[in-house]
Amino acid sequence: MESEISGADLSVSIGGLRLKNPVMTASGTFGYAKEFEPYVNLHRLGAVVVKGISLEPRAGNPPPRIVETSCGMLNAIGLENVGVDRFISEKMESLQAVTVPVVVNILGDTVNEYREIAERLVDVEGVAAIEVNISCPNVKKGGVAFGTVPEMAAAVTAAVKKVSSVPVIVKLSPNVTDVTNIARAVEDGGADAVSLINTLIGMAVDLRSRRPALANVIGGLSGPAIKPVALRMVYQVAQTVSIPVIGIGGIETAEDVLEFMLAGATAVQIGTANFVNPRASEEAVEGLARYVTEQKLISIREMIGALVLS
Amino acid sequence: MSQFQEKTQIIRFEQLSSDIVRLTLDSPDIASRAKPGQFVMVKAGEGRDPLLRRPFSISQTSNERHFQILFKVVGSGTSILAHYRVGEYLSVLGPLGNGYQVDCDDDNCLVGGGMGIAPLLFLGKWLVRVCPQNPPLVVIGARTAAELSPLVKDFEELGLRVHTATDDGSLGHHGFVIDVLKTINLGSSSRMHVCGPYPMMAAMHLFCKERGLSCQVSMETHMACGMGACLGCIVPSRKGVYAHACSDGPVFDAKELVWKVK
Ligand SMILES: Cc1cc2nc3c(=O)[nH]c(=O)nc-3n(C[C@H](O)[C@H](O)[C@H](O)COP(=O)(O)OP(=O)(O)OC[C@H]3O[C@@H](n4cnc5c(N)ncnc54)[C@H](O)[C@@H]3O)c2cc1C
Ligand SMILES: Cc1cc2nc3c(=O)[nH]c(=O)nc-3n(C[C@H](O)[C@H](O)[C@H](O)COP(=O)(O)O)c2cc1C
Ligand code: FES
């Protein structure tokens, strides 16, 4: 293992979870971490977040599932995953070898499903925190996404929080009129932190075939194209709640991380950039260390919410 | 298995036809480990548009140090790549994917269409070296002679006999490679290694199924990561619902896949 980067204090704390630096990887963009081992020294990251896990295995959507758009991409993976039981029996072992906190992202069709997944993860060694993806349709409420109705978002949060013994991060959907209402609701529901943003719903058309570019017609937009929207939402939410905020959306470099921290993020997640540069997360950590040293900061925490407004 | 993320220098640039380019890249790490059928993910340009890397088959290696990619300009990424010059650097990830399975006891047969010929050149070279007593049969096709001729030459330099077909009849048989195959007496131990457009591979699957021949195909899908992380690159499979072209493939036994026949 390589030695830690310089002496810069990059550590941050998320609802009781201590991270040696604020750089996490975003769910669905980092596999189960193992895929990135040839490229990244995983031990240098703040935390890894694994692909979203549901109660039962899901096959996901038909192809094509991804299409590139200007400075971004649309995906309609359809939450393909092996299900919580196989996740625990097949994927946890290699994750336990990762020395940084592993955050398990969960999703469900009903409040009960979320609760049940969280229950099965209790006492599983190596699960440092749970991230709740609430951008999923609530099948009991006509398919309205949990993350778009404050009461539903709060109910899922409370259900997961009640059974979990680790910090619970709630991942917010940007596809709402006022994200601060949802953020407040999940804070009231007991969330230890919020992360945002999930992908923005979008669409692309292939003129030549006159078909939608994705088999699912609509998909989630991610990558540099969404960064301004993400920054705005992180800023608004950080003004609203008192729990830590994890910034996500179009982050590639240490400069991006620092911008999100100024806007109020305590930590960040890197998503789509991992596909382009598998070393993006580690390089961001290196860049943060250089910045802290160059700027003679005592700690990176000085950057959180330090946006100069006047 | 080891993969690398590298800045590789372009040491040779060849314009094979008006829209087909071949780049030779200097990368001992990738070239010495690559197997036929594997691919690399290449970043076109330094900017964010195009954002994602593009997948290309490794079309040849030499001296355990150089490897080639062969591509046709079809969109933004490939047109940027076609403007690189010798001495410049390209960011490459690889070698990725599983590669073709080869057995010298089989009568190996390389069947390629268009840019699908790229990985078969590597496979042909490999077979000539590993199974010198049993050289593969080569049947390749493209739209026109201009596209096909430079590649025919490469196979012939390996000492292989090449059967050709073109859509416009400008070289070899006027029509499809499968028509050519139908005129050849194929033994029961023939193993087809196929790469080309989807309709051609679907037709090859049926052709082989009817004759009880083994058929390996290399699948093209939209890929964001190339390493099993995004789950974007699926192909319908009989083993489970979907397989992932980048990590379970790109080479599959055609029987394992679900084919959509139009
Ligand atoms: C494993 C693998 C190996 C490949 N090997 C080669 C090779 O050796 N030589 C070669 O020329 N090409 C190869 N391809 C295809 C190549 O990746 C695409 O042609 C390339 O990504 C197009 O990029 P672009 O930016 O120029 O086109 P874009 O602007 O992205 O797209 C232009 C057009 O091409 C289509 N397209 C984009 N990507 C693909 C794709 N992966 N498959 C089919 N259609 C696509 C788009 O839908 C669009 O209609 C391979 C693909 C895979 C998955
Ligand atoms: C291919 C892909 C798959 C994703 N899968 C999930 C998932 O399973 N659960 C989840 O909460 N978010 C998922 N996301 C959303 C990302 O975690 C992240 O919130 C989003 O992509 C924005 O960040 P980025 O611009 O850095 O990619 C996925 C994103 C992509 C591109
Ligand atoms: S291309 Fe990303 S999983 Fe295959």
Side-chain angles (χ1 to χ4, degrees):
Chain A
M1 206 194 303
E2 283 173 52
S3 63
E4 286 305 315
I5 304 156
S6 70
D9 178 7
L10 299 182
S11 67
V12 296
S13 173
I14 305 275
L17 184 68
R18 223 179 119 77
L19 309 182
K20 62 184 166 192
N21 65 64
V23 180
M24 312 166 71
T25 59
S27 178
T29 66
F30 209 66
Y32 298 104
K34 205 169 69 212
E35 294 83 350
F36 282 77
E37 251 166 4
Y39 313 103
V40 184
N41 184 347
L42 299 173
H43 308 294
R44 289 171 82 172
L45 306 183
V48 300
V49 185
V50 296
K51 175 73 191 165
I53 305 297
S54 51
L55 195 55
E56 302 294 335
R58 293 192 185 195
N61 288 327
R65 287 179 172 183
I66 48 177
V67 61
E68 184 165 329
T69 55
S70 298
C71 299
M73 64 177 280
L74 283 166
N75 88 78
I77 305 300
L79 300 164
E80 174 186 340
N81 78 94
V82 296
V84 65
D85 292 336
R86 274 181 61 198
F87 169 74
I88 294 170
S89 63
E90 294 171 19
K91 309 288 182 186
M92 265 326 287
E93 194 179 326
S94 68
L95 285 165
Q96 281 157 359
V98 177
T99 54
V100 303
V102 172
V103 179
V104 178
N105 181 288
I106 67 170
L107 61 111
D109 285 338
T110 62
V111 173
N112 272 340
E113 261 186 48
Y114 281 99
R115 184 182 42 76
E116 203 165 332
I117 304 166
E119 261 170 6
R120 296 201 194 174
L121 290 168
V122 170
D123 294 334
V124 174
E125 190 198 327
V127 178
I130 288 177
E131 180 177 63
V132 189
N133 176 1
I134 57 170
S135 299
C136 307
N138 182 345
V139 294
K140 294 230 168 114
K141 292 278 157 66
V144 179
F146 289 97
T148 59
V149 180
E151 296 73 32
M152 278 167 29
V156 172
T157 308
V160 173
K161 185 66 196 165
K162 201 166 162 195
V163 297
S164 294
S165 47
V166 291
V168 173
I169 303 161
V170 179
K171 182 164 177 178
L172 305 181
S173 165
N175 305 303
V176 295
T177 315
D178 185 352
V179 71
T180 61
N181 283 339
I182 313 290
R184 211 176 283 118
V186 303
E187 182 180 35
D188 292 343
D192 296 294
V194 288
S195 57
L196 70 160
I197 60 176
N198 210 317
T199 54
L200 283 159
I201 295 174
M203 177 171 168
V205 171
D206 180 8
L207 180 56
R208 255 188 306 182
S209 63
R210 302 192 177 180
R211 290 172 189 276
L214 297 172
N216 190 55
V217 185
I218 62 170
L221 183 64
S222 65
I226 71 169
K227 189 181 139 192
V229 179
L231 261 175
R232 182 267 294 180
M233 290 194 168
V234 164
Y235 174 70
Q236 289 179 324
V237 168
Q239 301 285 307
T240 307
V241 297
S242 51
I243 50 178
V245 176
I246 302 171
I248 322 170
I251 300 175
E252 292 175 340
T253 63
E255 287 72 26
D256 296 328
V257 175
L258 291 160
E259 289 170 26
F260 273 83
M261 294 188 83
L262 286 176
T266 297
V268 299
Q269 295 177 10
I270 294 184
T272 302
N274 294 309
F275 302 153
V276 185
N277 173 13
R279 292 198 72 247
S281 51
E282 192 178 349
E283 286 174 6
V285 175
E286 289 163 2
L288 291 182
R290 273 196 304 276
Y291 185 85
V292 166
T293 308
E294 277 163 21
Q295 298 287 317
K296 301 191 171 60
L297 304 184
I298 294 164
S299 148
I300 190 97
R301 297 184 294 280
E302 288 173 49
M303 296 295 288
I304 301 169
L307 192 68
V308 181
L309 283 172
S310 52
Chain B
M1 228 200 282
S2 27
Q3 286 96 34
F4 300 87
Q5 179 180 5
E6 286 190 351
K7 288 259 174 213
T8 58
Q9 193 173 32
I10 299 170
I11 57 160
R12 193 160 166 213
F13 178 100
E14 296 164 273
Q15 187 87 43
L16 297 188
S17 73
S18 60
D19 57 359
I20 299 179
V21 169
R22 175 154 63 197
L23 299 178
T24 305
L25 300 162
D26 182 29
S27 169
D29 282 336
I30 295 174
S32 64
R33 287 169 179 86
K35 292 192 312 196
Q38 289 190 301
F39 65 100
V40 289
M41 293 291 284
V42 181
K43 179 77 176 83
E46 302 281 327
R48 290 164 170 175
D49 203 2
L51 178 71
L52 300 171
R53 290 170 180 269
R54 299 291 191 261
F56 297 100
S57 302
I58 298 173
S59 91
Q60 246 187 108
T61 65
S62 57
N63 314 327
E64 303 250 303
R65 144 146 234 168
H66 304 139
F67 74 91
Q68 294 185 329
I69 59 171
L70 170 73
F71 62 90
K72 186 171 179 162
V73 176
V74 294
S76 59
T78 44
S79 54
I80 291 171
L81 288 175
H83 284 91
Y84 274 82
R85 289 295 170 255
V86 169
E88 291 184 312
Y89 287 82
L90 268 183
S91 170
V92 176
L93 217 66
L96 301 163
N98 58 356
Y100 288 98
Q101 279 186 24
V102 288
D103 185 337
C104 292
D105 292 336
D106 293 332
D107 290 326
N108 290 297
C109 185
L110 315 185
V111 183
M115 285 303 101
I117 299 167
L120 299 180
L121 201 55
F122 187 8
L123 181 58
K125 201 170 176 178
W126 184 281
L127 286 168
V128 165
R129 200 183 73 226
V130 181
C131 320
Q133 75 293 355
N134 193 7
L137 176 73
V138 181
V139 186
I140 54 176
R143 279 202 319 234
T144 66
E147 270 181 27
L148 197 54
S149 306
L151 306 174
V152 172
K153 217 175 70 213
D154 285 317
F155 281 103
E156 284 174 348
E157 275 170 18
L158 295 172
L160 295 173
R161 198 165 149 238
V162 185
H163 300 266
T164 55
T166 46
D167 293 352
D168 65 357
S170 53
L171 181 68
H173 172 75
H174 188 168
F176 298 128
V177 289
I178 202 156
D179 305 330
V180 178
L181 277 169
K182 283 177 182 160
T183 67
I184 297 172
N185 198 1
L186 299 163
S188 62
S189 61
S190 296
R191 177 184 279 236
M192 303 289 160
H193 304 271
V194 189
C195 187
Y198 186 89
M200 173 195 148
M201 295 202 288
M204 279 303 297
H205 164 59
L206 287 180
F207 176 88
C208 294
K209 204 170 111 184
E210 282 163 13
R211 290 164 180 77
L213 304 176
S214 149
C215 183
Q216 292 189 76
V217 293
S218 176
M219 300 302 288
E220 254 194 35
T221 62
H222 288 222
M223 293 184 170
C225 71
M227 53 194 207
C230 72
L231 308 184
C233 62
I234 48 154
V235 288
S237 166
R238 296 190 188 281
K239 289 178 158 182
V241 185
Y242 296 120
H244 301 97
C246 73
S247 47
D248 305 320
V251 181
F252 294 93
D253 184 333
K255 288 197 303 288
E256 284 176 12
L257 302 180
V258 179
W259 294 92
K260 198 169 58 203
V261 189
K262 278 187 192 143

